[in-house]
Amino acid sequence: MTKFSIVSIARNALTHHENWPRQWRNPDPKPSYDVVIVGGGGHGLGTAYYLAKEHGVSNVAVLEKNWLGGGNTGRNTTIVRSNYLWDESAHLYEHSLKLWEKLSQDLNFNVMFSQRGVINLAHNLQDVRASRRRLYANRLNGIDAEWLEPEQVKAFCPILNVSPDARYPVLGATLQRRAGVARHDAVAWGYARAADARGVDIIQGCEVTGIMREGNRVTGVDTTRGVIKTRKAAIVVAGDTSVLAGMAGLRLPIQSHPLQALVSDSIKPVLHTVVMSGAVHVYVSQSDKGELVIGSGIDALTAYGQRGSFHLIEGQMAALKELFPIFSRMRMMRAWAGTVDTCPDASPIVSKTPIDGFYINGGWGTGGFKSTPGSAWCFAHTIARDEPHPLNAPFSLDRFVSGRLIDEHGAAAVAH
Amino acid sequence: MLLIECPYCGRRPEIEFHHGGEAHIARPEDPDALSDEAWANYLYMRANTKGWRHERWMHAAGCRRWFNAIRHTVSNEILVTYEMGTETPPLPTVGD
């Protein structure tokens, strides 16, 4: 693997950057692997990386039906934060945020992590109380959190409309300064490159069509490029978790919904932070290219079509215009939708299953991107040791039987 | 936006409706006799079919009555809507 450094950049500049080597191999699948990871998004590639790095398991294949990071990793709004309410979530997302803070150095790949802060607005008394409760919960868990009064919100984000005459007046906001955004593609590419360097086979254009079992144990996967034997199969396939689990005969508490986002024309820097509002339902940041990246909630119906409905965009734009009058004449450049797998408690499943050697990481709902490093790190531990790490043990499948649900509908900040 | 045929009110836009998930899940007749697993199965485990499926809708901004539908979860095509308690139409087997 080429080490990226000022020297390598200077050396390649001399040949007009035309001689950079490929950053990962494109191998054919071997007949068998110690671990097969289904899904080549950020979580799957990260899992492969941490399996090799932390657990010495490098005879690993990552199978991706399309191309790397072309699923939800390539179509999200890139927000990273850890201000969740319950201890279980706070610990998991904070672990993830700490990994984010060192990810570029760890991978020797610039994931463009930018700690520009995230503010969550409160628009009514109930919002204020719930936000402050979450803020104190964050602090008790050692997570940075601040309360901003309306005039402080205005000082922090001058283009925001905090007028008391607004339809949804801003009564305050929580601020997490360590939160921010990262470059979604770079996360997939960085993990792919680093995993490949440690011997992981990344196989693109390889769709899994069946999970093979002998009794209660996984023996391999059937794919469009032939049978691959393995004693450990792990599915990390946001959007298709139910479909893949169904191949192994497993029913899950997951429903899949469209989630869409859109991007404006590029403009000069006007928004230096991330603004979220669960009540009026929009969240927005400005990319390094200058586009506004705008998201809102999921479509209410379950669907796999990767198409969102226009009435959601209409509501989202109305909220955006109310909060930021300056954006009222912005032109939107493109919109896209992905499929998100949601659980009844708005928390993910990172877990072993009743089938030996079959592991599931999914159901992240609308918040999978922020958790990429932490999720992958915990999932690698779960696969390598065949038992969950204490950080992801509360997110096991058996919580739906025990009743120990982790209700994060409030902190998820997006209706699902 | 989908146009959905309410069996009672006729064809109306999607925003008048509330989506209710998988249809035809029978409430257990004797909940006290259920194991925790069986209860969790009834409460949370759902078919999340990629293709044709039976599902429930409620005409929230209209007659507020529940009814059932067969919809394709990739194309969003609605094959039929039908009243609660009537005979369940079979799912299409071709054209998935």
Side-chain angles (χ1 to χ4, degrees):
Chain A
M1 180 173 83
T2 323
K3 184 162 167 54
F4 292 130
S5 66
I6 191 107
V7 177
S8 67
I9 290 171
R11 191 170 56 237
N12 280 279
L14 295 175
T15 51
H16 304 283
H17 295 289
E18 285 176 352
N19 295 323
W20 286 102
R22 293 178 78 93
Q23 295 301 313
W24 55 83
R25 297 166 297 129
N26 195 19
D28 289 322
K30 291 192 282 187
S32 78
Y33 289 92
D34 292 343
V35 178
V36 167
I37 294 168
V38 185
H43 291 236
L45 294 164
T47 303
Y49 171 67
Y50 292 117
L51 269 172
K53 184 190 174 209
E54 306 284 343
H55 305 281
V57 183
S58 57
N59 185 21
V60 175
V62 177
L63 310 183
E64 168 55 47
K65 72 175 173 183
N66 292 318
W67 64 90
L68 281 198
N72 286 359
T73 308
R75 56 184 84 202
N76 69 79
T77 48
T78 75
I79 299 166
V80 174
R81 62 192 175 89
S82 67
N83 53 355
Y84 275 66
L85 175 64
W86 300 107
D87 292 350
E88 296 88 344
S89 322
H91 293 154
L92 182 61
Y93 289 107
E94 178 61 12
H95 179 65
S96 197
L97 184 51
K98 285 180 175 152
L99 290 172
W100 274 114
E101 286 173 329
K102 294 182 177 155
L103 198 58
S104 292
Q105 289 80 1
D106 187 25
L107 299 177
N108 180 231
F109 196 91
N110 187 5
V111 300
M112 296 168 72
F113 182 51
S114 160
Q115 291 177 296
R116 57 185 68 180
V118 169
I119 59 178
N120 288 79
L121 302 176
H123 297 283
N124 55 49
L125 199 53
Q126 184 54 40
D127 273 1
V128 172
R129 288 172 180 152
S131 301
R132 292 178 71 99
R133 179 191 178 201
R134 182 144 53 85
L135 179 143
Y136 292 126
N138 291 160
R139 287 198 189 158
L140 287 170
N141 278 315
I143 295 167
D144 67 311
E146 294 166 45
W147 176 254
L148 302 181
E149 294 294 340
E151 60 277 10
Q152 293 171 299
V153 176
K154 184 75 179 171
F156 190 71
C157 183
I159 60 172
L160 192 64
N161 176 18
V162 300
S163 159
D165 299 331
R167 183 170 183 189
Y168 302 101
V170 173
L171 300 187
T174 60
L175 165 64
Q176 184 178 21
R177 287 186 196 271
R178 287 166 60 240
V181 293
R183 173 74 200 274
H184 50 342
D185 293 320
V187 176
W189 298 335
Y191 273 127
R193 176 172 171 273
D196 178 85
R198 288 176 184 269
V200 171
D201 279 1
I202 297 165
I203 300 156
Q204 302 177 65
C206 179
E207 182 172 0
V208 170
T209 53
I211 309 281
M212 294 151 60
R213 283 168 60 174
E214 235 167 59
N216 197 41
R217 165 155 272 293
V218 163
T219 55
V221 293
D222 208 350
T223 78
T224 49
R225 293 179 68 176
V227 168
I228 300 173
K229 289 187 176 157
T230 185
R231 288 175 69 77
K232 289 185 174 182
I235 62 170
V236 202
V237 286
D240 271 343
T241 311
S242 301
V243 176
L244 266 291
M247 290 177 191
L250 213 57
R251 227 166 125 88
L252 295 174
I254 281 180
Q255 296 280 282
S256 301
H257 297 263
L259 175 67
Q260 60 187 333
L262 63 164
V263 165
S264 74
D265 277 347
S266 287
I267 53 172
K268 286 181 179 180
V270 286
L271 184 62
H272 75 293
T273 186
V274 183
V275 177
M276 309 186 73
S277 166
V280 304
H281 230 135
V282 72
Y283 41 98
V284 59
S285 61
Q286 189 170 16
S287 77
D288 293 330
K289 279 194 291 184
E291 308 139 330
L292 300 177
V293 184
I294 307 158
S296 73
I298 59 170
D299 277 51
L301 50 74
T302 57
Y304 288 91
Q306 297 185 329
R307 273 195 308 273
S309 304
F310 190 73
H311 61 266
L312 268 93
I313 293 182
E314 202 178 1
Q316 169 185 2
M317 288 295 103
L320 184 78
K321 186 174 166 302
E322 183 69 23
L323 292 176
F324 299 95
I326 188 180
F327 294 155
S328 67
R329 304 183 77 171
M330 287 290 299
R331 275 182 301 212
M332 296 302 139
M333 187 167 66
R334 58 194 165 90
W336 69 93
T339 309
V340 294
D341 292 341
T342 62
C343 288
D345 57 355
S347 288
I349 297 167
V350 184
S351 180
K352 293 173 65 174
T353 70
I355 300 163
D356 293 335
F358 190 56
Y359 307 88
I360 288 183
N361 183 344
W364 287 90
T366 57
F369 180 71
K370 70 173 79 68
S371 58
T372 304
S375 151
W377 191 91
C378 289
F379 198 41
H381 183 284
T382 307
I383 297 166
R385 310 275 179 91
D386 198 34
E387 63 178 31
H389 187 273
L391 281 172
N392 69 311
F395 297 90
S396 295
L397 203 45
D398 60 12
R399 76 176 185 270
F400 298 97
V401 175
S402 70
R404 289 188 61 86
L405 302 183
I406 306 162
D407 180 2
E408 287 290 4
H409 284 278
V414 176
H416 68 262
Chain B
M1 190 182 304
L2 302 182
L3 290 174
I4 300 173
E5 182 88 21
C6 170
Y8 309 101
C9 310
R11 188 173 287 247
R12 299 294 166 85
E14 179 190 347
I15 45 169
E16 291 191 12
F17 293 86
H18 174 79
H19 178 73
E22 186 183 356
H24 307 305
I25 296 171
R27 185 177 173 83
E29 290 189 0
D30 185 6
D32 291 342
L34 288 190
S35 65
D36 288 350
E37 286 77 12
W39 185 243
N41 199 45
Y42 162 68
L43 277 183
Y44 299 120
M45 303 301 165
R46 291 290 182 268
N48 189 20
T49 315
K50 193 172 191 172
W52 294 106
R53 75 132 154 194
H54 293 106
E55 62 186 17
R56 301 184 306 156
W57 287 86
M58 195 251 279
H59 193 184
C63 63
R64 297 200 57 78
R65 285 206 267 184
W66 285 96
F67 60 94
N68 295 324
I70 293 178
R71 181 179 59 98
H72 196 284
T73 58
V74 180
S75 70
N76 277 340
E77 182 190 346
I78 296 173
L79 191 70
V80 62
T81 57
Y82 54 101
E83 295 174 22
M84 291 269 171
T86 57
E87 196 178 335
T88 306
L91 295 177
T93 49
V94 290
D96 189 46

